[in-house]
Amino acid sequence: MAAGHRLTDSWELEGFGNGTYHLRVCGPNGFLREFAGSVGDPEVEIQCEYARQNNALTGDVELRVTSHAERALTMQVKDHGYKSGDHTNVIEPGGNRAVAMALGPSHHWYDFSVTIIGADRFLRRFAGRVETGKSGFSDPAMGRVTAAPTVTRNSAFQASIK
């Protein structure tokens, strides 16, 4: 599959045991999509889109949520490693919500999950790095580094990491 193309598929819930499912899609550069839930999942669509400005990727992501449920849903977004913050949002019946995730401090790496209060098995997880075409950094969470290292040059022009 080429860069920028979409992969879609569907599975019948009856094909999973006990009416529950758990699927993972893994790709290069830490790309992960995880989907878990059950027959009782709320009717909600969650998309993780790479944000654009003037048709160029910004390096941020935006969650776009559409509820088809008949009651308000409380959505929780949990950051798993980049300290971009956790979010809680209420989506009204039939409502839409966009949640912007600023990824500059993590060098455009992300790893977060979405759950719905009251839907115990429902989980959507999104991880990876937004490729913008510019030079990037290794995953700062890989070594559990809390801040990006600084690179300095001494008089011999040797790079050192502090």
Side-chain angles (χ1 to χ4, degrees):
M1 173 165 279
H5 285 96
R6 292 186 181 264
L7 175 66
T8 60
D9 207 339
S10 62
W11 293 268
E12 295 295 324
L13 192 54
E14 293 81 28
F16 295 90
N18 300 322
T20 63
Y21 62 93
H22 194 156
L23 302 165
R24 288 187 184 108
V25 178
C26 299
N29 219 4
F31 181 90
L32 170 74
R33 298 296 185 262
E34 187 172 4
F35 309 93
S38 69
V39 171
D41 283 351
E43 293 184 44
V44 62
E45 294 175 41
I46 301 173
Q47 296 179 327
C48 178
E49 300 285 336
Y50 293 166
R52 294 181 174 270
Q53 184 175 21
N54 299 325
N55 209 29
L57 293 170
T58 66
D60 297 333
V61 296
E62 184 175 86
L63 283 176
R64 296 185 185 162
V65 183
T66 303
S67 173
H68 302 286
E70 295 180 4
R71 63 177 177 85
L73 302 174
T74 302
M75 174 182 78
Q76 294 182 309
V77 180
K78 178 178 173 56
D79 182 295
H80 291 285
Y82 299 102
K83 301 186 189 302
S84 64
D86 297 341
H87 306 270
T88 300
N89 295 282
V90 175
I91 298 98
E92 297 300 326
N96 297 302
R97 173 74 62 144
V99 178
M101 308 285 284
L103 304 178
S106 66
H107 304 288
H108 311 298
W109 289 90
Y110 60 95
D111 182 0
F112 59 88
S113 61
V114 179
T115 56
I116 305 289
I117 291 178
D120 296 337
R121 295 179 187 251
F122 183 90
L123 170 79
R124 301 294 184 264
R125 188 165 182 178
F126 306 93
R129 181 176 185 276
V130 180
E131 297 293 341
T132 63
K134 299 176 183 173
S135 294
F137 290 84
S138 295
D139 183 350
M142 184 168 47
R144 294 293 173 218
V145 176
T146 57
T150 58
V151 178
T152 60
R153 294 182 182 260
N154 61 20
S155 60
F157 295 101
Q158 295 175 340
S160 61
I161 299 176
K162 294 183 177 179

